[in-house]
Amino acid sequence: HAVRAEFHDQPSINTKVSGGGVYLIRNPLNLVMAFAYAANKKPLDAIKLLATSEYRQPTTAQNALEPWGSWSENVQSWTEPSLPQDLVLRFEELLNDPRAQFKRLSDHMGLGLDAKELKKASDEAIKTLGIEGKKASNEPWKKGLSPAYVRSVLEVHAQQMVRFGYLTNEVLNFAEVDRDTVLRSSAMSRTRPSSGRRRSSPVIVSPSIVRRTMPPGLREDAIMLPFHADNSSPVLKAKPPGAMTGSQ
């Protein structure tokens, strides 16, 4: 969903008709697998999409153009700083304890549900979403991604991953990399959307992906070509901290 920023000099979230927001965040490693499966793409395509700075979901027969940003830009725009009007839910906690998370959601929205109403609503939601009995698992990304691909995700997104408990020893050991290395790398690639000039959206691709996927003879700067180029679109401009809130 939309990054919290400006697009064509208009806010992506209209605060005049929104009193707050609910932001659902998911481990980007499993999100890579979900994106690849949903779009029938290779995991590398999904990794590039999540790393594309200022990415814009293009207009299709089903969707209108929407500014997403990279995964880290999107997360940062909604959670730094955290605002009292916004509730952040982790997808993994929703799977592991859905009723507790639905209570947080109900309380945040001021629905005033009693225990019986909340249980009924939660049970219906769990059934509708098809998550009954499911638990958060690392198996999807461990089965679908190589250590090199996992490392490429960490090298771009580690700074946001560590904030939400996704940069675990299990992940680091699988990727055969240490915590300080990926935190430094992601700090170098971390950018806030700039303003005042127009350009296409560059892909932030980690060094390990460049080393392992570039065909012989291909220039290194070729890997920086936009994943979804749109030279006519302006860059996103981040709102000052606390300036706006939205619902999604």
Side-chain angles (χ1 to χ4, degrees):
H1 51 70
V3 66
R4 187 165 60 184
E6 287 186 352
F7 191 61
H8 287 278
D9 296 320
Q10 297 297 320
S12 59
I13 304 297
N14 186 351
T15 57
K16 294 180 180 179
V17 295
S18 174
V22 177
Y23 188 78
L24 184 64
I25 185 172
R26 186 176 186 181
N27 187 334
L29 295 171
N30 276 339
L31 196 57
V32 163
M33 300 308 301
F35 270 37
Y37 176 80
N40 195 26
K41 298 286 187 179
K42 296 178 180 179
L44 179 58
D45 293 329
I47 290 172
K48 289 181 179 180
L49 188 151
L50 265 63
T52 302
S53 178
E54 302 173 11
Y55 175 75
R56 293 168 287 277
Q57 169 68 15
T59 300
T60 66
Q62 293 79 31
N63 302 295
L65 185 146
E66 185 177 45
W68 288 0
S70 70
W71 182 85
S72 285
E73 287 172 342
N74 198 295
V75 170
Q76 182 183 355
S77 76
W78 281 94
T79 64
E80 289 188 9
S82 59
L83 302 178
Q85 302 95 325
D86 295 341
L87 173 68
V88 178
L89 295 177
R90 293 174 72 247
F91 180 80
E92 294 76 17
E93 291 175 348
L94 186 61
L95 285 181
N96 291 336
D97 194 354
R99 290 177 178 81
Q101 299 308 308
F102 282 129
K103 185 179 188 308
R104 291 183 63 207
L105 179 60
S106 172
D107 292 345
H108 177 73
M109 297 178 68
L111 299 181
L113 301 180
D114 60 31
K116 184 178 180 180
E117 292 171 325
L118 181 61
K119 182 179 184 305
K120 181 179 179 180
S122 299
D123 289 346
E124 287 295 324
I126 291 169
K127 181 180 179 181
T128 300
L129 294 172
I131 61 175
E132 187 171 7
K134 292 186 177 181
K135 298 294 181 182
S137 171
N138 289 332
E139 288 307 307
W141 66 259
K142 290 178 73 174
K143 290 182 178 180
L145 299 178
S146 67
Y149 280 8
V150 171
R151 178 168 179 162
S152 74
V153 174
L154 304 187
E155 287 175 336
V156 176
H157 303 301
Q159 285 209 334
Q160 296 302 321
M161 292 177 69
V162 72
R163 294 179 57 220
F164 295 95
Y166 296 135
L167 194 64
T168 63
N169 288 335
E170 179 183 15
V171 171
L172 293 167
N173 291 337
F174 185 92
E176 301 174 352
V177 67
D178 65 87
R179 185 180 301 266
D180 289 342
T181 295
V182 293
L183 285 173
R184 285 196 302 268
S185 177
S186 63
M188 292 176 63
S189 66
R190 176 176 173 175
T191 59
R192 274 213 182 261
S194 58
S195 61
R197 65 191 181 96
R198 302 162 77 90
R199 62 174 174 81
S200 58
S201 300
V203 176
I204 303 175
V205 180
S206 74
S208 60
I209 280 293
V210 173
R211 288 194 301 269
R212 291 169 172 81
T213 65
M214 187 178 296
L218 185 64
R219 301 191 323 275
E220 285 197 356
D221 60 355
I223 203 70
M224 299 303 291
L225 289 173
F227 181 74
H228 174 65
D230 183 359
N231 292 319
S232 65
S233 295
V235 296
L236 302 174
K237 296 184 289 184
K239 298 293 289 185
M244 63 186 299
T245 180
S247 61
Q248 188 66 36

